[in-house]
Amino acid sequence: MRLGICFYPEHWSSERWQLDAQQMRAAGISIVRIAEFAWSQMEPQQGTYNWNWLDNVIEVLASEDHKIVLCTPTAAPPAWLIHQHPEILPVDEEGRRRRFGSRRHYCPNNPTFHTYTESITRAMAERYGNHPSVIGWQIDNEFGCYFARCYCDTCTTQFQSWLQAKYSNLETLNRSWGTVFWSQTYDDWKQIEPHNLTVAEPNPSHVLDYYRFASDSWTAYQQLQIDTLREIISPQQFITHNIIGSQTTIDYYDLACNLDFIAWDSYPTGYAETESQNLYAADDMIPAYAYDLGDPQLTGFFHTITRGLKQAPYWIMEQQTGAINWSTYNTGVRSGALRLWTWQALVSGAESVVYFRWRASRFGLEQHHAGLRHHDGSANTGYDDLLTIRTEWQQLEDFVALPLQASIGILLDYSTLWAIEMQPHGKDFSYLRHLFVFYRACKRLGLEPDIISPWTDLSRYQILLAPSVFLADEALMQKLDDFATQGGSLMLGVRSGFKDTCNVVTDQQLPGILSELAGVTVAQWHALPPGVCYAIQSVIPDFPAEATFWAEALEPALGTNTLANYSTVPFNRRAAITQKSHGKGQVLYCGIYPQLEQAEALVRHLAAEQNIPILEIPAGLMVIRRGDKLLVLNFTEELLTLMIGSSTHRVPARDLLILTE
């Protein structure tokens, strides 16, 4: 468990480097990430390399016992490369070729760019792949940021090849996509172009496959660099990539697969401003968190998503240290914020936290983005927080040494996310929001969930929450069946089994292939507009009595019990929530899109059935359990109390406590 910093030595005079390295060490920094955007400094002209500055800064940092994470600089191709090969630039969904002048200005499928990528990666690896102070490599930077899906001619050709590999022949593709609709049947692979620029909305099966292809393109481009590095570097050097937790355009399970570990970039105040509207419902009551701490539920959600990508420790490769520059208000950050963010990250499963950035930039897009030190080199508030963290380090290490155990899994499938995103049917029906409401329900009960792929080993979980298994096939059905048969409690949510994996609606009564597993069929389903609700009655304790947003009228099969009924027309007396025994376990089908209190009641019910103890967590507190200890973080401006058994614990504002259960 270590702390690091993102450093841009090429932005500053080399006369300052030694002092920077000393001040980093004084603050407890032991890892320095460099070179992520320095391609033009390393290769100012094609084939002409300048390593002197990078050699020197590595030696300066090593002299203060820092370890180095080197980044391949491919997120910012230099001007000379784009001038020689403008075809590298990506084409957006509107068919416009983007220009040089920022970053991430390339198509991941362009063969010319692949050649230059392999060249710079190989040159770096040959020079530093066995350097004793270089501990690892970050590939590129934030795949999917700004530009995730290219629509150039190269991508068109590659997409056609991708489809041929997947479907083998056009007869299979036409059948799988349902191209008989609107006379879209293909008789030549070259007739299939990307889905953009159509007159009306395109075939959703076509779109879903293009999204999969685009995601695979990034994974393949990353693999090009992985293969080049593995050929040369020391086995002791790791390879990783830093994702953006809120991005949904890439299947991160695929991207993480061949990395030694995954990393993500955490900016709590920015995500609180930009992602709240995406993950909270319009009528959600969000706790009154301190204005400069972000939203710990959102931050925790992204921690949990990242931890689940490999079900292993991860890194924070960029941790906010002060005000940012890309959000709505870019609020100032007071003393103490960095301390809470660091504790939450490390206790949630992060193995290292690397802060962004060392010194605020004087030029470029990020001039207003704070660092641990101001533009003039003086300390910012985050630097003082690091000095506080140093005094708590042993206590933090002791806590993190305890096991982090999750008894609840929440399924995340990116193909399902994309399918619902393109056809939500009802405004604001969001797959990720559906997952987030169950994540929040778990956290309010003191339960630590994992967010996992459907293809994860499920045997470690007692409860599996699958809010929307929108795309389902025989393999997934069997995986879920096995989980319940072996003693797990499975919850399926609305719209489950609606389509096959080609994004085509089932010809069976809903929930389609999952009907026998669920022990129920869906007689009718309604999307409900704002202000409309269907009354329900439930035997689940403290279950709010209204279905809003989405409702399904269920017909239980023989042996399936009803946990909630509709009590008004048009679904009067129909089941809303059902439960059946299945092998050693059980399957619950929730036929409504739950509000937070309803999701909490459902999780409480399932936890009781599995004899999982719960807590009652007040709004504003985050609680993370490791072993027999609890970390309690207060992200509000008020003193809050937490009851554990008969004991009352007072948690000061913007502070934390460690408790023993």
Side-chain angles (χ1 to χ4, degrees):
M1 193 173 76
R2 292 172 292 184
L3 301 180
I5 193 70
C6 301
F7 185 38
Y8 299 89
E10 69 272 22
H11 295 179
W12 306 98
S13 168
S14 59
E15 296 175 357
R16 170 83 190 197
W17 293 350
Q18 192 73 50
L19 177 59
D20 287 331
Q22 292 168 356
Q23 291 175 334
M24 292 171 191
R25 179 168 52 81
I29 297 297
S30 62
I31 298 171
V32 183
R33 185 191 75 161
I34 56 176
E36 83 192 87
F37 298 125
W39 193 338
S40 65
Q41 298 301 110
M42 287 183 273
E43 190 180 8
Q45 296 178 353
Q46 180 181 350
T48 301
Y49 296 104
N50 173 21
W51 302 115
N52 290 338
W53 72 275
L54 191 52
D55 291 346
N56 291 340
V57 75
I58 289 175
E59 293 310 311
V60 167
L61 293 168
S63 72
E64 296 295 335
D65 296 324
H66 294 301
K67 298 301 182 183
I68 313 301
V69 176
L70 273 178
C71 304
T72 63
T74 50
W80 60 260
L81 175 54
I82 299 303
H83 180 72
Q84 292 178 30
H85 298 283
E87 72 276 10
I88 289 172
L89 294 168
V91 173
D92 67 19
E93 195 166 5
E94 299 301 317
R96 300 169 298 188
R97 177 82 66 179
R98 292 301 182 94
R99 291 178 175 173
F100 177 83
S102 58
R103 62 170 175 165
R104 304 225 50 79
H105 44 276
Y106 67 86
C107 166
N109 289 309
N110 184 274
T112 301
F113 190 56
H114 286 189
T115 299
Y116 283 95
T117 292
E118 194 274 339
S119 178
I120 187 65
T121 303
R122 180 173 297 276
M124 290 184 72
E126 288 174 346
R127 192 164 190 91
Y128 304 110
N130 288 281
H131 194 292
S133 293
V134 176
I135 59 171
W137 299 77
Q138 174 192 298
I139 290 177
D140 206 284
N141 182 75
E142 299 178 338
F143 287 139
C145 179
Y146 299 122
F147 205 101
R149 295 165 183 143
C150 179
Y151 297 88
C152 70
D153 291 342
T154 297
C155 286
T156 298
T157 302
Q158 291 294 318
F159 179 50
Q160 292 162 355
S161 297
W162 186 92
L163 291 172
Q164 289 182 64
K166 178 175 181 177
Y167 293 104
S168 298
N169 58 73
L170 284 166
E171 181 182 359
T172 301
L173 180 142
N174 284 318
R175 183 176 63 253
S176 299
W177 282 11
T179 56
V180 66
F181 185 82
W182 282 358
S183 194
Q184 293 175 4
T185 303
Y186 299 103
D187 57 28
D188 191 309
W189 294 105
K190 293 182 179 179
Q191 295 170 351
I192 307 175
E193 297 182 318
H195 63 274
N196 63 320
L197 300 178
T198 55
V199 174
E201 292 182 6
N203 183 341
S205 298
H206 185 164
V207 179
L208 180 58
D209 268 345
Y210 200 84
Y211 285 3
R212 287 167 169 156
F213 156 75
S215 177
D216 287 353
S217 298
W218 291 111
T219 300
Y221 177 68
Q222 176 182 259
Q223 193 63 43
L224 168 68
Q225 298 196 42
I226 291 175
D227 292 343
T228 303
L229 289 171
R230 294 278 188 222
E231 179 186 335
I232 302 168
I233 67 174
S234 164
Q236 282 71 48
Q237 293 180 344
F238 62 73
I239 300 175
T240 188
H241 174 75
N242 59 326
I243 65 171
I244 298 177
S246 61
Q247 286 281 342
T248 57
T249 50
I250 297 173
D251 188 326
Y252 283 148
Y253 294 112
D254 292 340
L255 195 74
C257 185
N258 289 333
L259 297 170
D260 292 307
F261 58 84
I262 192 71
W264 81 284
D265 297 347
S266 176
Y267 292 94
T269 66
Y271 294 148
E273 291 180 9
T274 62
E275 297 304 318
S276 290
Q277 59 187 337
N278 297 325
L279 290 174
Y280 286 101
D283 56 353
D284 267 329
M285 296 296 294
I286 304 175
Y289 299 120
Y291 72 86
D292 62 333
L293 296 181
D295 183 330
Q297 297 280 5
L298 288 172
T299 305
F301 186 56
F302 299 137
H303 280 308
T304 305
I305 287 175
T306 307
R307 186 179 71 230
L309 296 179
K310 291 181 75 73
Q311 292 203 296
Y314 57 96
W315 280 31
I316 305 297
M317 197 59 83
E318 295 182 14
Q319 173 61 62
Q320 179 180 354
T321 59
I324 59 175
N325 73 313
W326 47 264
S327 189
T328 306
Y329 300 105
N330 299 311
T331 179
V333 174
R334 295 171 290 171
S335 178
L338 193 65
R339 173 177 175 250
L340 289 181
W341 294 335
T342 301
W343 272 86
Q344 184 182 14
L346 291 170
V347 172
S348 296
E351 194 170 59
S352 295
V353 175
V354 180
Y355 299 103
F356 187 88
R357 51 188 288 162
W358 175 242
R359 188 173 175 181
S361 178
R362 294 180 52 241
F363 33 73
L365 183 67
E366 295 175 347
Q367 296 173 35
H368 291 89
H369 202 303
L372 288 179
R373 305 191 80 83
H374 293 296
H375 304 84
D376 63 359
S378 60
N380 204 340
T381 54
Y383 188 86
D384 294 332
D385 271 9
L386 281 187
L387 301 180
T388 300
I389 292 170
R390 287 201 69 175
T391 68
E392 302 173 328
W393 194 251
Q394 188 60 55
Q395 187 181 25
L396 181 52
E397 282 192 325
D398 291 344
F399 192 93
V400 170
L402 299 170
L404 178 65
Q405 296 175 327
S407 57
I408 299 178
I410 302 176
L411 291 192
L412 166 59
D413 175 65
Y414 283 94
S415 285
T416 290
L417 186 157
W418 298 328
I420 291 179
E421 177 183 72
M422 70 181 75
Q423 289 186 308
H425 192 75
K427 184 180 182 295
D428 298 328
F429 193 114
S430 162
Y431 176 76
L432 213 57
R433 181 182 293 156
H434 204 177
L435 270 58
F436 185 52
V437 75
F438 280 101
Y439 169 83
R440 291 158 57 206
C442 291
K443 296 297 290 184
R444 280 180 55 157
L445 298 173
L447 302 173
E448 189 65 29
D450 280 344
I451 298 175
I452 54 175
S453 162
W455 309 112
T456 299
D457 177 9
L458 304 178
S459 62
R460 70 186 71 182
Y461 302 105
Q462 295 172 262
I463 298 171
L464 186 63
L465 305 175
S468 290
V469 188
F470 190 56
L471 307 181
D473 61 6
E474 184 73 29
L476 178 56
M477 185 278 293
Q478 192 59 57
K479 182 93 171 175
L480 299 176
D481 188 294
D482 291 345
F483 172 78
T485 299
Q486 294 164 12
S489 292
L490 168 67
M491 189 217 74
L492 298 170
V494 296
R495 304 181 78 175
S496 287
F498 194 82
K499 292 189 175 187
D500 65 19
T501 56
C502 290
N503 211 13
V504 170
V505 176
T506 179
D507 60 1
Q508 304 175 44
Q509 189 169 10
L510 299 179
I513 198 171
L514 302 174
S515 295
E516 184 175 349
L517 171 63
V520 71
T521 55
V522 178
Q524 294 185 64
W525 51 269
H526 288 178
L528 303 180
V532 175
C533 61
Y534 293 170
I536 53 178
Q537 297 176 332
S538 178
V539 299
I540 300 172
D542 302 317
F543 194 88
E546 293 180 342
T548 60
F549 197 59
W550 192 278
E552 297 180 353
L554 309 179
E555 291 185 352
L558 185 65
T560 299
N561 299 318
T562 297
L563 299 182
N565 280 315
Y566 296 99
S567 57
T568 57
V569 293
F571 290 172
N572 190 30
R573 299 183 182 178
R574 296 275 196 177
I577 303 173
T578 62
Q579 189 170 17
K580 60 162 278 197
S581 297
H582 193 84
K584 297 178 181 178
Q586 57 186 334
V587 180
L588 183 149
Y589 190 96
C590 179
I592 67 169
Y593 187 110
Q595 303 168 18
L596 176 59
E597 291 76 12
Q598 292 169 327
E600 185 179 337
L602 286 167
V603 173
R604 188 192 304 271
H605 169 77
L606 291 170
E609 303 248 318
Q610 287 284 351
N611 297 312
I612 301 173
I614 63 171
L615 299 173
E616 301 291 342
I617 310 299
L621 292 183
M622 285 289 284
V623 175
I624 304 170
R625 177 186 283 110
R626 278 185 176 263
D628 63 347
K629 293 188 180 298
L630 302 174
L631 174 66
V632 187
L633 301 117
N634 184 349
F635 283 84
T636 76
E637 305 277 12
E638 307 292 334
L639 183 146
L640 298 175
T641 59
L642 173 67
M643 291 289 299
I644 300 179
S646 59
S647 300
T648 301
H649 302 276
R650 296 162 62 86
V651 189
R654 299 169 54 86
D655 207 344
L656 59 87
L657 287 179
I658 294 177
L659 306 174
T660 301
E661 285 190 288

